[in-house]
Every structure is written in structure tokens, then in C-alpha cells.
Amino acid sequence: MDDNKNYFRDENFHHPKKRANSVFYIVLALSLIAIGAAVVILALSGNRNRRQAEDQRPYMQTGASDDETLQGVVGARATAEPTPLPTLRPKFPPLPTEQPQPEGAAAPTTVPAATKAPARAASTSSKANAPVSGSVTREWTLDKLIYSKTLDAWVTHNGVDLAAMLGSDVKCVFAGTIERVYQDDALGYTVVVQHTNNRTTQYANLAADIPVREGDKVNAGTVLGKIGASALSECADESHLHFVLYMNGKSVDPAEYVRIGSK
């Protein structure tokens, strides 16, 4: 105790310059201690972080550097073959397969395709003879208009006009029965004959002396009358027979069924 008192009483301690030096060394020693402690803490923290990184990279090989490991991973991905995409193909129903026929079974019958009946007669030989031998002066037409000199107008024509001299015989084209004999206001003296298969023929612009009567049976070629000039609606035309053919009550082109002349 006495020594301490003597120390504080020492003139060196109470000297200002020497006391400042002592404080400097104390502060320096404390700083070095702090720096050492910080270095130790940083070293321990670095080791812990490195161990965590190694635990999080299990795919890296032991003993390989980070650069070597990274190069190995990149090279493996670059050289790996790409996975091919699935090929999309449209789905179609399977084609029918031919069923085997048992032995002794009859071969399947091939059904021929239906054929449309021709509108016209198969040949000219199957057509009937014309009622007169003259050429056509006015044709049959219901789908277009033709000029009428007598009426001075464009009209349809439900039959054909066949040129013939006055007094020429008019013959029946098919066998049948006389249905009507009368004088028409426009077509003059007229004979209508009913035939089989719902066919009807009309003969107009005849002379007044008609040799047949209603109900008479006639054959193909029977004379029904003579060419006259009684059709007032066609009186400006040359001498002719106005001939009409009906099938099932409808007017049709006589040239399809009868061998008539041409213009």
C-alpha cells in the first residue's frame, strides 16, 4: 500500500508527457486485441459458409475446383442430345378389310348401277312414219318464242307444221280410236286419235270432208283426211299440216317419236 502510494507520488507518473505515452500504449494494446478477435470471428464465419456451400452442391465432384465443376456441368448439358418431340399423326378410321369367304360359298353378286332411260327413242327405226312427207316449216317449242306471220307476234308452238300440198292425204301415225272430230276456231278442222300408252295425236288444218267418225278404230297409216286451209291462226303460212303429240296429257316434241322431215 505504501508502494502504491509511492508510485502515484512518483514524479514520472505525474509527468504529462510520460503519462500520455502510457495511455497510447494501452489504447494500442486494446486495438490489437480487438483486431485479433475480429480476425478469429471472420475466419470461423468463412469456414461455416464454405461448409454450407459444399452441402448445397452435392453434384460437384470431390476434389474438383469450382471452375472445373462448372465447366463439366456446362459441357454435359451442351453435348446432351435433345429430347425428340412426339410426332402428331392424324387418326383415320381403319380401312375395311375383306372378310374371307368360307369354302363353297357363292361369290357376291355385283349389282349394276341404275341407268337413266333415254329421253329419245333408241333408233330411227323404232319411230312411227310421219303423217305427211313434207318438211318442217315451224318447229315444236314451248321453252322459247317463235315469230308467227299470221298473228305478227312471238308465240310458243305446241306442235310441228309439216309442209304439204292442198288435198294431200293425212295418215294416222299409230293405231288407235278416233276420239274427236270437230272444227276448231283457231286450227280449223281437226281430228284427235287416242292411242295406247297414254298417247294422243292431233291433226289440224284439214279440209272439211273428213272420212272418219268419233269411235272408229284406225290403224297406223289410215287416212284421216286431206290437207286444207281451215286454220285461221296460221292462214298466212304456206300449205301445211299442224300435228301435235301428247304424252300423258302433255305436249311433247313429235320428232322424238315420229320420223318427220327437216326444214
Side-chain angles (χ1 to χ4, degrees):
M1 188 68 182
D2 293 337
D3 294 334
N4 292 335
K5 291 179 179 180
N6 291 331
Y7 173 78
F8 287 106
R9 289 175 182 174
D10 189 355
E11 60 180 358
N12 292 331
F13 180 79
H14 292 283
H15 193 277
K17 183 175 182 180
K18 292 181 179 180
R19 186 172 58 184
N21 291 335
S22 299
V23 173
F24 172 75
Y25 288 118
I26 293 172
V27 172
L28 180 59
L30 293 175
S31 298
L32 292 174
I33 294 172
I35 291 172
V39 171
V40 173
I41 293 173
L42 291 175
L44 294 176
S45 177
N47 292 333
R48 183 171 63 253
N49 292 336
R50 186 165 52 254
R51 287 196 299 270
Q52 291 178 355
E54 291 176 354
D55 294 339
Q56 294 175 358
R57 295 185 296 177
Y59 56 85
M60 294 186 179
Q61 297 179 357
T62 305
S65 63
D66 292 342
D67 293 339
E68 293 174 351
T69 304
L70 180 60
Q71 292 177 1
V73 173
V74 173
R77 292 183 178 179
T79 58
E81 295 182 358
T83 303
L85 295 175
T87 302
L88 299 179
R89 296 183 178 178
K91 294 182 178 180
F92 296 99
L95 296 175
T97 57
E98 184 179 357
Q99 298 294 333
Q101 297 292 334
E103 295 183 1
T109 302
T110 303
V111 179
T115 57
K116 184 178 179 180
R120 295 179 178 270
S123 62
T124 305
S125 60
S126 62
K127 295 181 180 181
N129 292 326
V132 294
S133 59
S135 62
V136 177
T137 58
R138 291 180 65 191
E139 63 183 0
W140 174 91
T141 172
L142 293 181
D143 55 355
K144 66 178 181 179
L145 301 178
I146 57 177
Y147 181 70
S148 170
K149 291 188 295 183
T150 303
L151 303 176
D152 190 20
W154 292 87
V155 296
T156 59
H157 198 230
N158 70 339
V160 293
D161 289 348
L162 301 175
M165 295 179 61
L166 287 173
S168 299
D169 289 340
V170 176
K171 299 177 181 180
C172 189
V173 295
F174 307 113
T177 303
I178 304 297
E179 185 178 79
R180 294 186 65 190
V181 177
Y182 66 102
Q183 185 177 9
D184 187 85
D185 293 339
L187 296 177
Y189 291 104
T190 303
V191 174
V192 177
V193 183
Q194 181 66 47
H195 310 281
T196 58
N197 300 325
N198 295 321
R199 296 173 300 175
T200 304
T201 53
Q202 181 183 34
Y203 310 80
N205 196 31
L206 302 178
D209 53 341
I210 298 176
V212 294
R213 298 289 180 267
E214 295 180 0
D216 290 351
K217 302 293 182 180
V218 293
N219 298 318
T222 299
V223 176
L224 303 176
K226 297 183 181 297
I227 295 294
S230 58
L232 298 180
S233 63
E234 297 179 351
C235 61
D237 299 335
E238 62 182 288
S239 179
H240 66 278
L241 170 70
H242 180 83
F243 175 63
V244 185
L245 172 62
Y246 297 93
M247 299 287 290
N248 297 315
K250 294 182 180 181
S251 171
V252 297
D253 187 0
E256 296 184 3
Y257 304 93
V258 179
R259 289 192 296 271
I260 57 177
S262 59
K263 289 183 180 180

